[in-house]
Amino acid sequence: MKILHTSDWHIGKQLHKYDLAEDLNLFFDWLISYMKTEAVDVLLVSGDVFDQANPSQAAFKQYYDVLRRLVQLDCKIIITGGNHDSPAVLNAPKELLKAFDITVIGGAPEHISELFVAVEKNGEKLVVAAVPFLKDRDIRKSVAGETYATKIEQIKAGLQTYFSNINLYYQENHSDTFFIVMGHLFVQGSAVSESERDIQIGNQAGVSAHMFQGVPNYVALGHIHKPQAVSEEDYIHYCGSPVSLSFSEKEDQKQVNVLTVKNQHVDNITIVPIPKQRNLLAFAGTLEEVQQQILSYAKETALISLVEVIVNEETESLERRQAFETFVNEQPNPRLQIVKSRLTFANKIRGASEAFAVGTDVADVTPMQMFEKKLELQSGLHNTEELKAAFRDILQELDL
Ligand SMILES: [Mn+2]
């Protein structure tokens, strides 16, 4: 039996207002042809199907289009909700999709027994615990007046209990059957990228890989966009997002994981690289240097390259600002599009520091100004521009 593990499709995603629907369409074409050729029996989608809790009509259309094509493959499909998904939105067509052998688990159900999906194909059996993203209330009893540290501890303990109950339920009801656990969470030891939105109080709520106790034969995780096996535990895998969703993922080789099960054992785990259809690039330097890089860029991919431009100039001047604006708006290379640009000056006329006088009301200060102020006060930082860029991305992700 062949099981294909993918996650973090983020249908509807825009990269700095540039729609990535085409990237996903090409991935779906590739996925379907791969599944057909390799006769994949089970498809697991481990959360973040949509980018937004309330997807656009175009995003729904893309979702149903790909499901319609997948249904023709005679393949069991299991889809779980991620932190970006609204459980209610994902669950709305659940009963209808059941008729097409698609199981959807949008959010944590009343009882964990409802997470278990038994699959039988070609004389081989397996059971999947299709665990979606777990919200605080699914795993933690809120206590008034609790401190930050204890909240994190509670979430960690809650997750551990939840997953050990999953193991327990499996051992009591399905033991000896090949066992896969799906999950959408941060497991410690994994490297993150800019585009994972951490709802569970940042990465500090990450749990240890030991939590799975070696019980499942394979753990199919979503949430982290950079594909990776978790620490030493080679049965726990993030397959990553199928396309690059942020500039921090520009170097990633995207993949799907294909698990072959024979006689109730893992026969092999194949990492299948997804062909890259678009390059994401960052060009940095003075305006002249960046112009040069952009004009000489000649790589050809199916989709035009998306570029982040970071220009650092010596002394602030209106003329430099205008030259920058003009270049960004009118850059002539048809192989790329600038979707994100920033101009900074080593010598500012008026720095962020002057934006704050003593007694400034916090309501008058933007989060970005606050962050810049914090950086100013922090001595010995060498990567402030990078930090600012990362912070700007976070603000954008959160729509602040
Ligand atoms: Mn995601």
Side-chain angles (χ1 to χ4, degrees):
M1 173 147 52
K2 275 189 188 168
I3 300 126
L4 191 146
H5 164 208
T6 174
S7 75
D8 294 271
W9 288 356
H10 287 266
I11 299 174
K13 170 76 182 175
Q14 297 189 337
L15 178 67
H16 301 280
K17 307 220 166 85
Y18 192 96
D19 199 323
L20 298 179
E22 273 302 304
D23 304 57
L24 276 177
N25 269 336
L26 291 174
F27 163 66
F28 292 148
D29 289 348
W30 173 86
L31 177 73
I32 283 158
S33 105
Y34 178 88
M35 288 175 66
K36 217 182 262 178
T37 318
E38 295 295 320
V40 169
D41 302 291
V42 183
L43 174 70
L44 306 177
V45 186
S46 300
D48 282 356
V49 174
F50 291 106
D51 189 58
Q52 305 285 333
N54 287 306
S56 67
Q57 302 302 320
F60 276 121
K61 181 175 183 326
Q62 194 172 22
Y63 177 55
Y64 290 126
D65 273 348
V66 73
L67 291 186
R68 175 185 53 78
R69 295 169 71 193
L70 286 166
V71 158
Q72 292 163 358
L73 299 181
D74 181 32
C75 166
K76 171 72 196 173
I77 299 169
I78 304 175
I79 298 169
T80 56
N83 54 309
H84 279 250
D85 295 305
S86 149
V89 165
L90 224 51
N91 281 342
K94 186 186 172 102
E95 295 305 317
L96 178 63
L97 294 178
K98 207 184 263 176
F100 297 100
D101 206 14
I102 301 174
T103 301
V104 178
I105 312 247
E110 198 64 33
H111 192 265
I112 57 169
S113 61
E114 297 164 62
L115 296 171
F116 282 76
V117 185
V119 184
E120 195 169 349
K121 289 250 174 184
N122 309 326
E124 193 84 49
K125 274 186 191 173
L126 70 88
V127 63
V128 179
V131 184
F133 174 72
L134 300 168
K135 292 191 185 344
D136 279 16
R137 66 164 179 275
D138 302 325
I139 49 175
R140 182 176 66 91
K141 295 262 177 288
S142 205
V143 182
E146 66 204 334
T147 69
Y148 193 66
T150 59
K151 211 172 191 177
I152 290 165
E153 287 313 312
Q154 281 183 354
I155 289 173
K156 280 190 187 181
L159 282 170
Q160 270 161 13
T161 309
Y162 199 95
F163 280 91
S164 69
N165 285 339
I166 297 275
N167 282 344
L168 216 59
Y169 185 88
Y170 161 77
Q171 284 161 332
E172 282 168 4
N173 298 278
H174 299 277
S175 72
D176 300 334
T177 309
F178 192 89
F179 183 36
I180 296 178
V181 171
M182 295 169 78
H184 192 92
L185 73 166
F186 180 67
V187 175
Q188 263 162 13
S190 35
V192 294
S193 77
E194 284 170 12
S195 61
E196 292 111 24
R197 188 198 303 171
D198 288 295
I199 278 179
Q200 285 173 349
I201 334 177
N203 297 338
Q204 296 167 74
V207 283
S208 156
H210 299 300
M211 156 179 103
F212 297 103
Q213 303 164 323
V215 175
N217 298 91
Y218 183 87
V219 179
L221 295 176
H223 191 44
I224 307 297
H225 294 176
K226 192 181 178 60
Q228 58 202 284
V230 175
S231 59
E232 307 298 302
E233 326 273 345
D234 65 354
Y235 70 102
I236 306 174
H237 290 260
Y238 282 103
C239 58
S241 56
V243 301
S244 294
L245 300 168
S246 78
F247 282 104
S248 65
E249 297 169 47
K250 61 182 181 287
E251 308 295 345
D252 292 3
Q253 168 61 61
K254 299 302 189 181
Q255 67 184 52
V256 295
N257 292 7
V258 178
L259 176 68
T260 310
V261 179
K262 263 192 198 146
N263 305 319
Q264 296 289 296
H265 287 93
V266 177
D267 187 50
N268 71 72
I269 297 169
T270 311
I271 303 302
V272 186
I274 301 168
K276 197 165 194 162
Q277 309 288 5
R278 186 196 297 284
N279 288 320
L280 301 186
L281 311 154
F283 293 141
T286 63
L287 186 55
E288 277 66 32
E289 284 164 356
V290 168
Q291 280 174 330
Q292 206 41 54
Q293 293 176 71
I294 283 185
L295 295 176
S296 59
Y297 181 76
K299 278 205 183 122
E300 295 267 15
T301 41
L303 304 173
I304 63 162
S305 301
L306 300 181
V307 177
E308 172 182 23
V309 156
I310 305 154
V311 170
N312 297 295
E313 286 278 310
E314 203 47 44
T315 309
E316 182 164 14
S317 79
L318 190 59
E319 179 269 325
R320 289 276 84 184
R321 278 193 187 283
Q322 282 168 344
F324 170 80
E325 293 290 332
T326 310
F327 181 71
V328 166
N329 294 331
E330 297 169 13
Q331 80 75 21
N333 190 335
R335 292 195 178 86
L336 59 85
Q337 180 159 338
I338 298 173
V339 292
K340 187 183 174 192
S341 63
R342 195 166 77 248
L343 171 63
T344 58
F345 295 100
N347 304 310
K348 284 186 183 177
I349 294 171
R350 180 176 166 278
S353 56
E354 288 150 70
F356 295 76
V358 178
T360 303
D361 193 317
V362 75
D364 296 334
V365 181
T366 67
M368 194 64 216
Q369 285 172 327
M370 186 71 86
F371 189 72
E372 284 176 347
K373 183 71 184 169
K374 175 74 186 157
L375 291 179
E376 269 180 34
L377 299 173
Q378 201 93 32
S379 58
L381 286 178
H382 303 295
N383 54 344
T384 51
E385 283 311 314
E386 259 175 68
L387 289 170
K388 282 184 204 172
F391 190 73
R392 220 171 261 121
D393 283 333
I394 292 168
L395 292 179
Q396 191 161 21
E397 284 292 325
L398 297 174
D399 287 330
L400 287 174

